[in-house]
């Protein structure tokens, strides 16, 4: 399940729906997934009127509202729960903590305090819109790499029910220029290629039992 941590106006942690590695099913999944505003949030009260509340009960609706915005921007994402979760996680603003939780450092991303970070609605909706305008690879495999040509951030979306283990970017001469492992990711990669010179590159996407390659142009 997707869980949310609550933060105050300075992005300090103020509450958890769950925290740390999940041990009950031995999966060691890290919780929370993301964090959202949850301090001094104005909400309706029974019988009419408004009041201010704190905690994950306030942070959760922020994320639910973000899902609504994502689906409004790209209705084709309806039902693609893992991809929506990936969009929210990979567009979150990274936040860290100096303490440890269950032998997991708060300085890692994701971490047991903020998850992947504080949700960023504008960036998440922008990513959903980019997915809506993407062009599928010519081999009709279901893999999407966009935008292509790219200037800075490239997004790679896996076919349904396939998990990306790593992505490698090679120069035209075959030299490895960038690599990103799929730790914690399921179906969506966002890679920053802004530091690479303009030119022709090749990407190789590694799945569990296969790999797929293609061309990528950098402005």
């Amino acid at each position: 399940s997707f869980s949310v941590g609550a933060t105050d106006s300075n992005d300090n942690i103020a509450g958890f729906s769950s925290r740390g590695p999940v041990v009950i099913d031995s999966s060691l999944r890290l919780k929370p997934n993301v964090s959202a505003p949850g301090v001094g949030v104005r909400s309706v009260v029974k019988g009419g009127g408004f009041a201010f509340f704190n905690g994950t009960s306030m942070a959760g609706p922020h994320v639910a509202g973000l899902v609504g915005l994502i689906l409004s921007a790209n209705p084709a994402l309806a039902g693609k729960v893992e991809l929506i979760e990936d969009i929210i996680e990979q567009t979150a603003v990274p936040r860290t903590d100096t303490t440890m939780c269950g032998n997991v450092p708060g300085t890692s991303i994701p971490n047991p305090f903020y998850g992947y970070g504080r949700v960023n609605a504008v960036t998440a909706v922008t990513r959903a819109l980019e997915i809506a305008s993407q062009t599928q690879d010519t081999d009709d495999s279901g893999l999407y790499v966009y935008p292509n040509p790219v200037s800075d951030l490239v997004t790679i979306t896996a076919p349904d029910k396939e998990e990306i283990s790593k992505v490698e970017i090679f120069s035209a001469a075959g030299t490895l220029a960038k690599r990103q492992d799929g730790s914690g990711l399921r179906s969506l990669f966002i890679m920053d290629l802004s530091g690479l010179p303009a030119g022709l590159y090749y990407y190789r996407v590694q799945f569990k039992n296969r790999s797929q390659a293609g061309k990528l142009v950098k402005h």
Side-chain angles (χ1 to χ4, degrees), residues 158-217:
D160 288 343
K161 304 190 182 303
E162 283 205 79
E163 182 174 329
I164 299 173
S165 59
K166 69 177 177 181
V167 175
E168 296 170 313
I169 305 294
F170 297 90
S171 69
T175 303
L176 181 64
K178 184 113 180 177
R179 168 180 168 157
Q180 184 170 316
D181 293 326
S183 177
L185 302 177
R186 291 178 295 272
S187 59
L188 179 143
F189 263 66
I190 300 174
M191 297 182 71
D192 185 359
L193 304 183
S194 58
L196 298 181
L200 175 65
Y201 292 85
Y202 295 90
Y203 62 81
R204 181 167 64 199
V205 181
Q206 183 67 52
F207 300 98
K208 182 177 180 180
N209 298 313
R210 70 180 186 93
S211 64
Q212 186 171 334
K215 295 179 181 179
L216 181 68
V217 177

Side-chain angles (χ1 to χ4, degrees), residues 58-130:
M58 297 294 100
H62 278 84
V63 178
L66 176 53
V67 172
L69 290 173
I70 289 171
L71 293 176
S72 178
N74 185 355
L77 293 175
K80 298 182 179 180
V81 177
E82 288 192 353
L83 181 52
I84 293 172
E85 290 179 352
D86 282 343
I87 291 172
I88 293 173
E89 290 173 350
Q90 297 310 304
T91 57
V93 179
R95 292 290 182 263
T96 59
D97 192 275
T98 57
T99 54
M100 298 280 291
C101 177
N103 295 322
V104 180
T107 53
S108 63
I109 300 292
N111 60 68
F113 300 94
Y114 296 90
Y116 281 88
R118 191 245 306 141
V119 294
N120 186 326
V122 172
T123 306
V125 170
T126 298
R127 189 62 53 188
L129 288 170
E130 290 175 348

Side-chain angles (χ1 to χ4, degrees), residues 127 130 133-135 137 145-155 191 193-194 197-201 203 215-219:
R127 189 62 53 188
E130 290 175 348
S133 63
Q134 64 190 312
T135 301
D137 257 10
V145 178
Y146 54 94
N148 189 6
V150 61
S151 58
D152 45 24
L153 297 179
V154 62
T155 299
M191 297 182 71
L193 304 183
S194 58
L200 175 65
Y201 292 85
Y203 62 81
K215 295 179 181 179
L216 181 68
V217 177
K218 172 73 166 56
H219 283 316

